[in-house]
Amino acid sequence: MAAYLRSLKWFHIPVGVGLGYLCYQQFRHTREREQRKLVTEDPAELVAKDWQVHFLTYLPTRLFSRLWGRMSDLKLPAWFRKPLFGLYVSVYKCNMDEAEIGELRSYQSINSFFTRRLKSGARPVSEEHELVSPCDGRLLHCGVVDESGHLEQVKGITYPLGEFIGPMEPRLLPNHSDSNSQKKRLHYCVLYLAPGDYHHFHSPADVKFLERRHFPGHLLSVSPPIARFVQGLFTLNERVVLLGQWEHGFFCYAAVGAYNVGSVHLPFDQVCLKNMSCS
């Protein structure tokens, strides 16, 4: 053993590398601990305190998102596009075989790549169902709005529907129907678009939209860990809400902004765009 220890050669490493390794190990242990807490603890006990939410809302997320939006519209040099977008595809598992334009060099800006279109027929729309998914994404939660007008953000954490979509006329509210029909319930679902997903969204049903509402707000991250942490997250963020009717009555469709995703483009309404205030 002594001979073996004498044969070892020691090498100097930069202080930054050592500190970086220690920080990574601490981050890994913290992340594993938080993941264990999410599994074993009551979700309500993990909700952020009021001061923590206030701290998050004071962060300049709108400013940073606006700056990022301007940067993402800049034309990139042709030689830089493939390495940059190739790294993005690798990290976020983008399926470029489905993209209308598969050549990475053809995307002149980050925004053009982020909003890439799919090939025709890549998402066949079912003709057997009256309601389909409006987008690519992960289903975070679904359920029924309760009698008090609350819906679940995640299991055990609720927020009021009225704060999310604004006031409604009594005739459009759930549980108001013709005397000859059964009492209706309002169902909902929450879909999360990850950075690697196709970022266009479509009408999920044959709906006649009658009103568009824009709610200025913050641009906090809407990733699942944040959604479990910040109660009423979707009521804090900027969003566009479409209200209308379909064959079963009231229909609501909302697009919620997020950090670095502060623009909502509606082809039939060019008012509410680019992380700006609108009525």
Side-chain angles (χ1 to χ4, degrees):
M1 177 62 70
Y4 170 74
L5 293 175
R6 286 194 298 270
S7 68
L8 293 177
K9 295 183 179 180
W10 296 88
F11 297 92
H12 295 287
I13 62 173
V15 174
V17 174
L19 290 176
Y21 177 75
L22 292 176
C23 290
Y24 168 75
Q25 289 293 335
Q26 181 61 35
F27 168 76
R28 185 171 64 85
H29 289 309
T30 303
R31 183 178 60 181
E32 292 176 353
R33 182 189 64 201
E34 294 301 317
Q35 289 176 343
R36 289 194 298 268
K37 287 172 62 178
L38 289 175
V39 174
T40 59
E41 295 188 13
D42 182 0
E45 297 179 359
L46 303 176
V47 174
K49 305 294 189 297
D50 288 344
W51 70 267
Q52 294 173 314
V53 176
H54 285 307
F55 174 78
L56 290 175
T57 58
Y58 276 111
L59 295 176
T61 54
R62 289 182 63 90
L63 174 61
F64 289 158
S65 296
R66 188 175 295 116
L67 293 175
W68 173 251
R70 293 177 180 177
M71 290 179 57
S72 65
D73 285 332
L74 295 176
K75 185 176 180 179
L76 299 172
W79 62 267
F80 187 56
R81 297 171 191 170
K82 189 169 184 179
L84 176 64
F85 296 140
L87 178 62
Y88 191 99
V89 168
S90 176
V91 171
Y92 293 111
K93 311 300 181 185
C94 304
N95 187 358
M96 295 305 295
D97 292 334
E98 298 178 333
E100 186 176 67
I101 301 175
E103 175 52 54
L104 297 180
R105 291 191 183 93
S106 298
Y107 296 97
Q108 297 187 2
S109 66
I110 295 175
N111 190 47
S112 65
F113 177 78
F114 188 73
T115 58
R116 62 193 178 278
R117 294 183 177 275
L118 298 181
K119 294 178 180 177
S120 177
R123 295 291 183 275
V125 179
S126 173
E127 298 181 358
E128 300 178 359
H129 302 87
E130 54 193 8
L131 184 67
V132 299
S133 174
C135 61
D136 283 356
R138 173 183 172 186
L139 179 63
L140 291 186
H141 204 73
C142 62
V144 179
V145 178
D146 63 26
E147 294 181 356
S148 67
H150 286 70
L151 59 158
E152 279 194 325
Q153 180 171 307
V154 295
K155 185 176 180 181
I157 301 175
T158 65
Y159 60 96
L161 178 65
E163 289 187 10
F164 182 62
I165 67 174
M168 291 297 303
E169 298 179 12
R171 64 183 179 86
L172 295 178
L173 292 174
N175 298 338
H176 286 77
S177 57
D178 297 335
S179 58
N180 295 330
S181 63
Q182 296 180 350
K183 180 179 287 189
K184 295 181 179 179
R185 297 187 300 172
L186 186 60
H187 295 255
Y188 69 92
C189 69
V190 180
L191 297 168
Y192 168 68
L193 275 67
D197 289 332
Y198 164 70
H199 266 72
H200 292 260
F201 53 91
H202 307 270
S203 178
D206 185 8
V207 185
K208 182 180 181 181
F209 290 114
L210 304 174
E211 182 179 353
R212 185 268 297 157
R213 295 177 179 177
H214 172 251
F215 294 84
H218 304 282
L219 290 174
L220 304 177
S221 170
V222 295
S223 63
I226 300 298
R228 288 190 290 263
F229 182 65
V230 180
Q231 185 170 14
L233 172 64
F234 304 137
T235 66
L236 297 175
N237 272 16
E238 184 168 6
R239 58 200 179 278
V240 174
V241 177
L242 303 177
L243 306 171
Q245 294 278 347
W246 70 321
E247 62 177 306
H248 298 291
F250 171 68
F251 196 99
C252 176
Y253 189 26
V256 181
Y259 185 60
N260 285 341
V261 187
S263 299
V264 177
H265 294 253
L266 302 176
F268 53 86
D269 185 351
Q270 295 299 316
V271 177
C272 200
L273 301 176
K274 295 293 183 184
N275 190 12
M276 296 171 60
S277 297
C278 61
S279 60

